[in-house]
Amino acid sequence: QVQLVETGGGLVQAGGSLRLSCAASGRTVSRHVPGWFRQAPGQEREFVAAITRSGSLRYGDFVKGRFIISTDNAKNTVYLQMNSLKPEDTAVYYCALGIRGDSSWYPSSLASYDFWGQGTQVTVSS
C-alpha cells in the first residue's frame, strides 16, 4: 500500500519561503515519477513540479524559478522548496506519485499519477 504524507504547509507573508515535504511509503520515490500539484478554492488542480525518470525537472509556467523540487532517496521523501511566495500561491498543495511506464511522458498531467497525498494548506498573506 502506498502512502504519501505532506507536511510543511502554513501561513507565510508575501516574499517568504516554505519547504513542503512528502514522505512516501510502499514505493521507492526515486524509481518513479514524483510530482507536486496545487488547488486553490474554486480552481482546478494545477501542475507545480515533477521529476521524470530520467531526472529531468519540470515546472509549471507560473513557477518562474521560484520553486525547486528535489528528493532525498535515503528518506524516500520529495521536497518542494518555495521562495518569493505570492498571495496567488495560496492553495492546497498535493504530492503525487506516478508508477506506470508512461508516467514520465506527461508529468504535468494529473492522469499520469497513481497515488496522491492528502494535501497541505499554504496561505500567503499580502
Side-chain angles (χ1 to χ4, degrees), residues 97-110:
L97 190 66
I99 66 171
R100 287 166 284 142
D102 61 354
S103 292
S104 274
W105 296 359
Y106 304 103
S108 62
S109 170
L110 277 73

Side-chain angles (χ1 to χ4, degrees), residues 11-99:
L11 174 64
V12 64
Q13 288 189 330
S17 299
L18 280 176
R19 189 178 78 157
L20 306 182
S21 300
C22 173
S25 60
R27 290 278 182 171
T28 302
V29 166
S30 61
R31 298 179 62 183
H32 301 296
V33 179
W36 286 95
F37 288 75
R38 70 182 188 181
Q39 189 166 19
Q43 303 293 319
E44 294 186 350
R45 196 164 295 191
E46 177 182 37
F47 172 69
V48 178
I51 305 175
T52 69
R53 281 196 176 82
S54 65
S56 296
L57 307 184
R58 298 282 189 266
Y59 294 99
D61 290 342
F62 68 89
V63 171
K64 298 188 187 304
R66 299 182 298 128
F67 298 176
I68 301 172
I69 185 172
S70 63
T71 60
D72 183 330
N73 295 338
K75 296 182 178 179
N76 206 31
T77 297
V78 188
Y79 300 100
L80 183 68
Q81 177 67 43
M82 304 188 295
N83 303 317
S84 302
L85 284 162
K86 306 174 183 179
E88 50 265 43
D89 293 318
T90 295
V92 177
Y93 283 71
Y94 296 91
C95 175
L97 190 66
I99 66 171

